[in-house]
Amino acid sequence: MARADRLLALLQALRRHRYPVTGEALAAQLSVSLRTLYRDIATLRGQGAHIEGEAGLGYVLKPGFLLPPLMFTQEEIEALVLGGRWVAQHGDAVLGAAAREAVDKIAAVLPEALRRNLDGTGLLVARPSTDAPAGPDMGPIRIAIRDECKLVLDYRDAGGATSQRTVWPVAIGFFEQTRILVAWCELRQAFRHFRLDRIAALEVSAARYPRHRQALLQAWHASEGIPAQ
């Protein structure tokens, strides 16, 4: 775990305890050594966290410690909230829940004035159209992309003909009315774009594809004439 992530996890762990919790319990919860825990507590104290207690007695975080408000401008907060709300409406169930949780975490560490602005922002996201074409659960596809695993698809073309494709998933494109899977197709030996609503069935293969996804993504950008990111 990166140090910044570890410090945040320690803060979250302390917030969950209203009464002092021992260093041994915190270290076990975070899977770190006791020495690392003591060093992290000293770092948080140096950054302004009001952590009371000491070794052998336990630690408690007093209310009121916030992440520095200058971490986000008002426009950055609005952008994050708008993006989170869009994903909550247009992503799959797991991704939508994660987006809502992320917005709640942002709200929890904002000063009161900024939190009121967040709650009352005038940037809204429309619900997806009820007649938008359905598609498979994106969860397994996202996992295959993340783990660089092959997908086996039963795919219908525009004329209704079905074929089975083994593909190397690279990305999902989110458009207003449809979702597009960008993948290298072993049958065509080229990049292809598969509409999710035309995927009749899919299986995540245990086999990993032979190239790194980042290299494939760069190759797809080049094939489409998209400037390097």
Side-chain angles (χ1 to χ4, degrees):
M1 183 186 297
R3 186 164 185 266
D5 294 335
R6 196 176 69 239
L7 291 173
L8 183 57
L10 175 55
L11 271 179
Q12 296 291 72
L14 286 167
R15 282 196 176 104
R16 286 193 289 268
H17 294 278
R18 296 179 58 189
Y19 302 101
V21 56
T22 65
E24 288 82 359
L26 288 169
Q29 183 177 340
L30 299 173
S31 300
V32 298
S33 69
L34 201 54
R35 175 180 293 183
T36 296
L37 179 84
Y38 291 153
R39 187 167 59 243
D40 287 348
I41 286 176
T43 297
L44 289 175
R45 282 171 167 168
Q47 293 177 355
H50 191 185
I51 301 173
E52 293 186 347
E54 60 186 57
L57 297 178
Y59 299 92
V60 63
L61 176 67
K62 290 300 183 180
F65 178 68
L66 303 171
L67 293 181
L70 292 181
M71 285 186 67
F72 299 116
T73 66
Q74 183 62 53
E75 287 72 23
E76 288 168 343
I77 291 170
E78 289 184 345
L80 289 168
V81 172
L82 181 62
R85 288 177 175 175
W86 192 94
V87 173
Q89 292 286 358
H90 296 270
D92 57 68
V94 174
L95 206 58
R100 287 186 287 270
E101 179 69 18
V103 172
D104 288 343
K105 285 181 178 178
I106 292 170
V109 298
L110 288 176
E112 181 62 28
L114 289 179
R115 186 160 58 246
R116 286 198 301 269
N117 290 341
L118 181 150
D119 293 337
T121 180
L123 304 179
L124 306 176
V125 175
R127 292 183 178 276
S129 172
T130 55
D131 57 359
D137 180 8
M138 285 187 288
I141 300 176
R142 290 192 293 103
I143 292 172
I145 290 172
R146 206 160 49 221
D147 294 344
E148 300 183 344
C149 289
K150 296 182 181 183
L151 282 173
V152 181
L153 309 178
D154 289 340
Y155 190 72
R156 296 188 302 268
D157 64 19
T162 302
S163 62
Q164 188 172 85
R165 309 289 188 96
T166 298
V167 303
W168 308 352
V170 174
I172 299 174
F174 289 77
F175 296 89
E176 188 63 30
Q177 293 296 325
T178 190
R179 309 288 180 261
I180 300 293
L181 171 65
V182 178
W184 175 267
C185 177
E186 291 187 353
L187 177 65
R188 303 302 185 195
Q189 286 295 293
F191 288 108
R192 288 291 185 266
H193 302 147
F194 300 93
R195 285 179 48 158
L196 263 61
D197 59 297
R198 291 181 182 168
I199 296 176
L202 67 86
E203 178 184 350
V204 179
S205 171
R208 299 188 65 178
Y209 46 78
R211 296 180 64 187
H212 288 301
R213 185 178 67 88
Q214 189 63 35
L216 284 173
L217 191 58
Q218 291 175 356
W220 174 73
H221 282 155
S223 70
E224 295 293 313
I226 300 173
Q229 300 293 308

